Amino acid sequence: MSRISGINLIGQMSSSVTDSVVSVMPKTTISGKNTLKAIDWIGDKFSSPENRLILGVTALMTQPFIDARNKKVDEETRKVSVARTVAKIIAGTLTGYFVRAGCIKMIDAMTQLPSKVDPKTFGGRMRMLFTPEDAKTGVLQDLKMYKNALGTTISLFVMLFTNFLIDAPLTKYLTNLFTDKYVHKQKTDKGGTVNE
């Protein structure tokens, strides 16, 4: 019972912090026709795979430069750190994007309406496996949003495995590749030696 009350306390604290942040933010009403169209377009076209790409590109444009400017470490450590950061971002972005996109595509294939498949066959039942009852009766308005949300949720569970099976080995491979190509090569080009 104390564990549940601890979770409730954390939830209340989180809610309190969120309320505090929201209360100090200025109130804004968006009313421009073109602005509202742009927001609708972004909401319609951008799902979690695209969000992951945006995060990856933003990270690639900022984090390596922060590592490169770290004056607390020597130059070679900075270069290795930049190589590792770039490798992590590329591997994480690629894995995250393709896993999310693949799961959403899978859910899309298994969320067909009865009018498009024969629900009496095994193939038809499989293609309707995740179709909500509301969509079958025509009550659910936005099936696309449902598919994106369900695909994203499933991708989070899939990524528990792909992080170890794909992401980590790819990060290690890219880190070694970038380190050998840019850090060690520059060191040998300057006349130094590289310890293997």
Side-chain angles (χ1 to χ4, degrees), residues 41 48 68 73 88 91 113 124 131 166 169 174 185:
W41 182 84
S48 64
V73 295
K88 275 185 191 175
L113 296 173
T131 306
I166 299 170
L174 290 174
K185 185 177 184 303

Side-chain angles (χ1 to χ4, degrees), residues 80-115:
V80 171
S81 180
V82 168
R84 187 182 306 117
T85 298
V86 170
K88 275 185 191 175
I89 293 168
I90 290 172
T93 301
L94 289 176
T95 306
Y97 174 80
F98 284 112
V99 169
R100 284 172 172 87
C103 287
I104 290 172
K105 198 82 172 161
M106 179 196 71
I107 291 298
D108 185 43
M110 300 175 84
T111 316
Q112 299 299 313
L113 296 173
S115 58

Side-chain angles (χ1 to χ4, degrees), residues 21-128:
V21 170
V22 170
S23 68
V24 296
M25 293 179 69
K27 291 176 176 54
T28 307
T29 303
I30 299 171
S31 59
K33 189 176 180 182
N34 290 335
T35 305
L36 291 172
K37 270 187 181 178
I39 291 170
D40 282 343
W41 182 84
I42 290 169
D44 186 48
K45 301 294 182 192
F46 283 34
S47 184
S48 64
E50 292 79 15
N51 289 339
R52 185 63 186 96
L53 276 181
I54 292 168
L55 286 172
V57 169
T58 305
L60 201 55
M61 291 169 47
T62 55
Q63 290 180 8
F65 299 102
I66 294 168
D67 286 348
R69 300 273 182 213
N70 184 3
K71 300 298 183 191
K72 294 179 181 175
V73 295
D74 61 88
E75 185 180 352
E76 186 179 354
T77 305
R78 280 197 300 270
K79 288 179 180 178
V80 171
S81 180
V82 168
R84 187 182 306 117
T85 298
V86 170
K88 275 185 191 175
I89 293 168
I90 290 172
T93 301
L94 289 176
T95 306
Y97 174 80
F98 284 112
V99 169
R100 284 172 172 87
C103 287
I104 290 172
K105 198 82 172 161
M106 179 196 71
I107 291 298
D108 185 43
M110 300 175 84
T111 316
Q112 299 299 313
L113 296 173
S115 58
K116 296 187 177 180
V117 296
D118 182 7
K120 294 176 183 168
T121 64
F122 176 75
R125 286 192 300 274
M126 286 303 295
R127 297 193 68 192
M128 290 177 54

